[in-house]
């Protein structure tokens, strides 16, 4: 029987840090409110496009797996902050990597996009359709954020990470998955105007309005992640005691604590990044996974539970069995270009294009990185 092992991993975190104190310079909020309600202290703001972050993360994951761009059969780009819809973003990563043989898919299930990508890639490898797959989780939210809306502006951050999946006869990779969508509540999280870096003409950049019911999302997220975690463990013939590590979607520390409690897993087994990166939507789970590897929290053969939820409201719980190797086979020298601005300066630049209601002025130019992200 064929399985799909995770053989490579890499992250790309933009260096500029936006603190709670920075947010308090233009929003009626405080470090105390944000920390006590969400667990977040800081988040990153990217100076480059989502495609550039994804390319660096993917190059690192490929080197880690000991593969080159020529080996790649498929790139799955998981995320919602696409610079453009046509052409898709996966093809932008493909051309930047030089992965000329690959097929390229964008996959949008909001914050669960990486986890759904992992499930999709696993199924395709197990049927023999493809062999070497890059799955990316990426988000560049800062350029589309409504910075006048404190209900959402404090919650999100930018980042990217990727993994490489390859076929194996050993029982590794995704052992079980529960995927679902609480579509009745789809109106509780809607971002109008997301994903338009159309420079000039009549379409403005970053013109988003966030319909966001945090309390509804909170309750449904806890229920969906906890219930699907219990279900996937049962389907795999395991209990919470068999879980070595939980790598959850990180939208709020209190959501994570509630899910861990309901699923019966102690917080010591939960990987947390929410305090330093906020909610990076689709990038959250893979970045946390890569950091768990870097911190030695992933051990050979360990079982990892991945509960996640996102707009839709999509949800899932995956159970992964790690392989024997926990160190990279190689390293990539791909780096982001230097960042010359502070996070607050970049945010203020976006704010300067938005009117007080969070609507940007029509016809303003897209950010400088738009041209380099083809
Ligand atoms: N600073 C100060 N006050 C704020 C802020 C802020 N940044 N944001 C909201 N408030 C105020 C509100 O105006 C409201 O004031 P009011 O009571 O006078 O009307 C009050 O704080 C809201 O307080 P609570 O309802 O007690 O806030 P709560 O503890 O529920 O926390 C939060 C709100 C953090 C949004 C929470 O509901 C949450 O985490 N929800 C789910 C997370 C989520 O939706 N994440 C994004 C989803 S996307 C994804 O990952 C799929």
């Amino acid at each position: 029987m064929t399985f799909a092992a995770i053989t490579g991993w890499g992250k790309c975190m933009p260096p500029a840090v936006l603190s709670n104190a920075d947010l308090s310079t233009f929003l009626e909020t405080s470090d105390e409110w944000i920390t006590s309600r969400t667990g977040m202290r800081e988040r990153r703001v990217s100076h480059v496009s989502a495609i550039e972050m994804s390319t660096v993360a993917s190059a690192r994951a490929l080197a880690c797996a000991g593969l080159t761009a020529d080996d790649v059969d498929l790139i799955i780009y998981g995320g919602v902050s696409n610079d453009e819809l046509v052409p898709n973003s996966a093809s932008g990563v493909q051309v930047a990597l030089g992965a000329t043989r690959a097929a390229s898919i964008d996959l949008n299930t909001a914050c669960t996009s990486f986890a759904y990508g992992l499930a999709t890639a696993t199924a395709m490898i197990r049927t023999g359709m493809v062999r070497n797959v890059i799955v990316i989780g990426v988000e560049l939210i800062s350029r589309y954020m409504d910075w006048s809306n404190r209900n959402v502006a404090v919650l999100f951050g930018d980042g990217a990470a990727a993994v490489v999946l390859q076929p194996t006869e050993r029982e590794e990779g995704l052992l079980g998955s529960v995927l679902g969508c609480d579509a009745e509540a789809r109106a509780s999280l809607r971002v109008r105007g997301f994903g338009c870096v159309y420079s000039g003409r009549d379409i403005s950049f970053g013109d988003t309005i966030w319909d966001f019911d945090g309390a509804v999302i909170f309750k449904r997220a806890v229920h969906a992640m906890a219930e699907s975690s219990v279900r996937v463990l049962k389907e795999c013939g395991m209990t919470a005691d068999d879980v070595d590590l939980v790598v959850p979607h990180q939208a709020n520390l209190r959501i994570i604590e509630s899910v861990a409690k309901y699923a019966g897993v102690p917080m010591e087994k939960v990987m947390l990044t929410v305090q330093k990166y906020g909610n990076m939507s689709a990038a959250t789970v893979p970045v946390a996974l890569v950091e768990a590897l870097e911190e030695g929290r992933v051990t050979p053969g360990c079982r990892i539970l991945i509960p996640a939820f996102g707009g839709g409201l999509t949800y899932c719980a995956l159970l992964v069995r790690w392989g024997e190797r926990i160190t990279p086979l190689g390293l990539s020298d791909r780096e982001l270009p230097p960042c010359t601005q502070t996070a607050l300066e970049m945010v203020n630049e976006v704010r300067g294009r938005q009117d007080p209601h969070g609507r940007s002025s029509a016809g303003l130019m897209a950010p400088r990185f738009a041209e380099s992200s083809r």
Side-chain angles (χ1 to χ4, degrees), residues 2-304:
T2 303
F3 291 87
I6 300 176
T7 59
W9 53 90
K11 69 175 184 195
C12 175
M13 291 306 299
V17 175
L18 188 73
S19 67
N20 291 349
D22 290 331
L23 288 163
S24 310
T25 63
F26 60 89
L27 281 175
E28 209 177 304
T29 189
S30 65
D31 178 50
E32 198 282 326
W33 192 96
I34 302 170
T35 311
S36 63
R37 296 298 220 287
T38 70
M40 297 169 191
R41 296 187 182 279
E42 49 190 47
R43 68 287 294 145
R44 299 294 173 91
V45 172
S46 180
H47 61 298
V48 299
S49 72
I51 288 177
E52 281 180 82
M53 282 193 285
S54 302
T55 302
V56 172
S58 299
R60 291 175 179 168
L62 272 181
C64 175
L67 297 180
T68 69
D70 283 338
D71 298 315
V72 181
D73 297 312
L74 174 66
I75 298 169
I76 297 182
Y77 178 103
V80 298
S81 40
N82 302 296
D83 294 349
E84 300 163 305
L85 290 180
V86 181
N88 71 0
S89 297
S91 60
V93 179
Q94 179 182 347
V95 76
L97 287 174
T100 47
R101 281 196 328 102
S104 286
I105 302 175
D106 283 8
L107 191 156
N108 169 13
T109 55
C111 303
T112 57
S113 299
F114 171 81
Y116 272 56
L118 208 59
T120 305
T122 298
M124 290 175 77
I125 288 173
R126 292 184 80 159
T127 59
M129 191 185 277
V130 289
R131 290 183 64 77
N132 304 325
V133 183
I134 297 175
V135 182
I136 299 163
V138 59
E139 226 66 82
L140 175 80
I141 296 177
S142 60
R143 299 283 163 172
Y144 307 106
M145 176 50 66
D146 174 357
W147 289 107
S148 69
N149 181 350
R150 69 176 183 175
N151 292 322
V152 287
V154 304
L155 299 177
F156 292 91
D158 301 334
V163 298
V164 171
L165 296 185
Q166 291 185 268
T168 176
E169 297 310 309
R170 293 186 300 273
E171 196 177 310
E172 288 176 15
L174 206 58
L175 301 187
S177 60
V178 170
L179 310 179
C181 185
D182 182 6
E184 265 181 27
R186 66 192 293 274
S188 63
L189 177 52
R190 165 171 280 130
V191 187
R192 286 178 271 161
F194 218 150
C196 299
V197 181
Y198 304 132
S199 53
R201 308 231 166 72
D202 293 331
I203 304 166
S204 59
F205 163 70
D207 189 357
T208 61
I209 303 170
W210 293 63
D211 302 329
F212 178 85
D213 191 335
V216 168
I217 302 168
F218 194 111
K219 278 190 212 124
R220 295 198 180 228
V222 170
H223 177 261
M225 287 203 287
E227 203 262 340
S228 51
S229 294
V230 170
R231 258 173 62 203
V232 78
L233 286 171
K234 196 170 172 206
E235 281 174 18
C236 293
M238 294 183 199
T239 69
D241 292 341
D242 297 311
V243 175
D244 300 298
L245 182 67
V246 183
V247 181
H249 177 53
Q250 324 240 340
N252 185 321
L253 178 60
R254 287 154 54 217
I255 292 180
I256 298 172
E257 287 171 343
S258 302
V259 171
K261 191 171 161 202
Y262 285 124
V265 183
M267 280 303 286
E268 300 82 72
K269 288 188 179 177
V270 180
M271 182 68 199
L272 292 176
T273 58
V274 66
Q275 67 286 3
K276 54 181 178 175
Y277 298 143
N279 178 358
M280 296 178 289
S281 179
T284 297
V285 164
V287 168
L289 179 64
V290 173
E291 296 213 345
L293 278 144
E294 289 168 351
E295 291 174 16
R297 295 189 66 174
V298 176
T299 51
C302 77
R303 282 168 295 238
I304 306 173

